[in-house]
Amino acid sequence: MIEKIHTLLKEIRETTAASREEVEQLRLKYLSKKGLIPVLFDEFKTCPPEMKREVGKLLNELKDQAQQKIELLKAGFENGEESVPSGIDMTRPVRQFEPGTRHPLSIVRKEILDIFSRIGFTVFEGPEIEDDWHNFSALNFPPEHPARDMQDTFFISKDPDITLRTHTSSVQVRAMETHKPPLRMTFPGRVFRNEVISARAHCIFHQVEGLSVDKNVSFADLKQALMYFAKEMFGEKTEIRLRPSYFPFTEPSGEMDVSCNICGGKGCNICKNTGWVEILGCGMVDPNVLENCGIDPRIYSGYAFGMGIERITMLKYQIKDVRLFFENDIRFLQQFISAF
Ligand code: DAH
């Protein structure tokens, strides 16, 4: 009898059902009045007394197992699901899940914003479609001034002039119009210029702008912030160099180079053998700009800077063609799978 019980236990463990009807068949076979298990209980009565303990225990176990198994199989059809067709191995490992990657520009934008957030800059964003005031006039570009030609502009309409913003400096104006100093902000975003697309230029690119306005802000503060940024971004050994330049909205204005992180300043084709690579424009906010935005330049001063995210990313990851960022070729993007 013990053997019989063991055989049934094994059978029940291995049994499956393909439909509700089959579960019912199983219930009838094992548990109905004339089913195999009740018949064994009848047989149990004739068992020699010394065997009763062991056989009784096993028999109860068999009944429990059968009931549980039938409940389990029934539950599988409760939601109208069909059973697993035979031949499918449910224990097989699932197909490898391939996580996507963050775009290299997103990775570097975050890194830039994180670095400046550690020295007190918060993030502020503005629209990609801008009026003439925010993109040009408030930033001290007089109408018809040749400085406007530095940025070949996509116009959406003329009179009033509405453009796709040519730089994120427009967001400086929006921030100063709506916030009182002290101000420490970064402005990330997409910008547009009517450029011929090549390995070095694109009609769409991304910038991060920075602005700090307070009492007694000096050029030394600007240099300090930019030096901190350069070392955090490109490594402790990085050096910076500021060269005089011109922007209508800053006075004085400068361009900043970092020592070439590829050859360490010795000279290579990335830095065109100069040992330096230009990464951003900067300067002290022109008093006219402060005034245009309702900030008194006799009380406050400020510095600003703007950089291209593509440029920084190309340097950081030694990418030689800006078009790669916009083609979404998976073979390119997957190379950033372990970068955050
Ligand atoms: N807006 C400039 C450009 O797109 C970059 C720039 C230069 C931004 C100097 C600044 C700045 O804030 O101070 O070329």
Side-chain angles (χ1 to χ4, degrees):
M1 191 169 176
I2 289 184
E3 216 168 280
K4 238 194 238 169
I5 297 176
H6 277 301
T7 314
L8 282 183
L9 269 170
K10 184 161 180 273
E11 203 178 293
I12 285 168
R13 224 176 284 133
E14 288 168 1
T15 197
T16 57
S19 64
R20 262 174 223 276
E21 293 71 52
E22 280 190 35
V23 183
E24 182 56 14
Q25 294 294 328
L26 288 171
R27 194 189 65 77
L28 291 172
K29 177 176 172 194
Y30 292 107
L31 294 166
S32 66
K33 261 200 185 139
K34 293 258 166 334
L36 293 172
I37 294 172
V39 167
L40 279 176
F41 271 94
D42 282 343
E43 224 175 278
F44 172 70
K45 289 175 196 149
T46 63
C47 218
E50 67 280 8
M51 298 282 289
K52 278 210 156 138
R53 233 179 103 101
E54 190 188 350
V55 177
K57 205 169 146 223
L58 261 180
L59 208 48
N60 278 324
E61 190 186 326
L62 174 65
K63 192 173 154 199
D64 285 350
Q65 294 259 349
Q67 280 170 339
Q68 277 175 24
K69 184 69 184 241
I70 282 171
E71 283 308 311
L72 197 77
L73 291 173
K74 236 197 240 167
F77 298 107
E78 216 85 296
N79 310 324
E81 291 166 25
E82 272 316 300
S83 86
V84 179
S86 57
I88 290 190
D89 178 2
M90 293 296 285
T91 63
R92 221 175 68 182
V94 289
R95 199 186 311 153
Q96 183 97 30
F97 169 67
E98 292 200 12
T101 60
R102 275 157 55 83
H103 193 281
L105 295 178
S106 305
I107 295 169
V108 171
R109 179 187 53 198
K110 180 175 185 300
E111 207 172 337
I112 299 170
L113 298 178
D114 282 353
I115 292 171
F116 283 106
S117 82
R118 296 202 281 277
I119 50 173
F121 285 76
T122 53
V123 179
F124 186 79
E125 286 178 286
E128 291 175 355
I129 297 176
E130 263 303 3
D131 50 27
D132 177 89
W133 172 255
H134 292 96
N135 198 78
F136 290 123
S137 297
L139 289 163
N140 216 22
F141 287 82
E144 314 302 331
H145 192 280
R148 292 190 180 214
D149 296 343
M150 286 158 66
Q151 305 183 352
D152 270 330
T153 310
F154 287 114
F155 285 93
I156 289 180
S157 71
K158 277 283 199 187
D159 266 343
D161 286 358
I162 304 292
T163 66
L164 295 182
R165 67 178 173 198
T166 57
H167 53 182
T168 44
S169 304
S170 56
V171 195
Q172 281 189 35
V173 178
R174 292 189 174 272
M176 287 191 277
E177 283 173 342
T178 52
H179 295 70
K180 286 194 163 38
L183 276 178
R184 286 197 136 203
M185 289 178 172
T186 41
F187 316 108
R190 188 158 43 166
V191 302
F192 308 85
R193 289 192 202 171
N194 192 5
E195 303 256 6
V196 176
I197 297 173
S198 70
R200 317 202 94 235
H202 208 287
C203 58
I204 301 172
F205 57 102
H206 299 77
Q207 293 186 329
V208 174
E209 186 96 5
L211 174 72
S212 172
V213 181
D214 202 349
K215 290 176 181 154
N216 301 318
V217 173
S218 72
F219 202 93
D221 297 320
L222 168 64
K223 191 171 175 188
Q224 181 69 54
L226 293 181
M227 179 125 87
Y228 173 74
F229 166 72
K231 286 182 186 290
E232 288 290 293
M233 190 76 205
F234 296 109
E236 189 51 39
K237 291 210 180 81
T238 308
E239 305 216 27
I240 63 167
R241 174 172 89 167
L242 283 156
R243 287 177 288 102
S245 184
Y246 171 76
F247 298 102
F249 38 92
T250 41
E251 181 61 37
S253 304
E255 269 164 334
M256 186 175 95
D257 302 338
V258 290
S259 52
C260 180
N261 68 329
I262 288 153
C263 62
K266 283 191 209 80
C268 67
N269 60 351
I270 302 282
C271 61
K272 298 192 197 105
N273 284 317
T274 62
W276 296 96
V277 202
E278 182 199 321
I279 62 160
L280 56 80
C282 60
M284 300 305 292
V285 182
D286 191 298
N288 288 343
V289 175
L290 292 175
E291 203 148 7
N292 286 341
C293 302
I295 293 175
D296 188 343
R298 285 164 306 183
I299 304 175
Y300 294 104
S301 55
Y303 66 74
F305 54 86
M307 65 186 90
I309 304 180
E310 279 78 1
R311 191 80 208 263
I312 309 266
T313 311
M314 288 169 90
L315 264 184
K316 191 151 174 114
Y317 292 111
Q318 301 192 31
I319 297 163
K320 296 215 169 68
D321 193 323
V322 74
R323 290 170 292 200
L324 284 165
F325 293 127
F326 301 98
E327 285 165 354
N328 278 339
D329 186 329
I330 285 179
R331 290 166 302 178
F332 171 67
L333 297 175
Q334 275 182 340
Q335 295 179 42
F336 299 88
I337 203 147
S338 59
F340 294 104

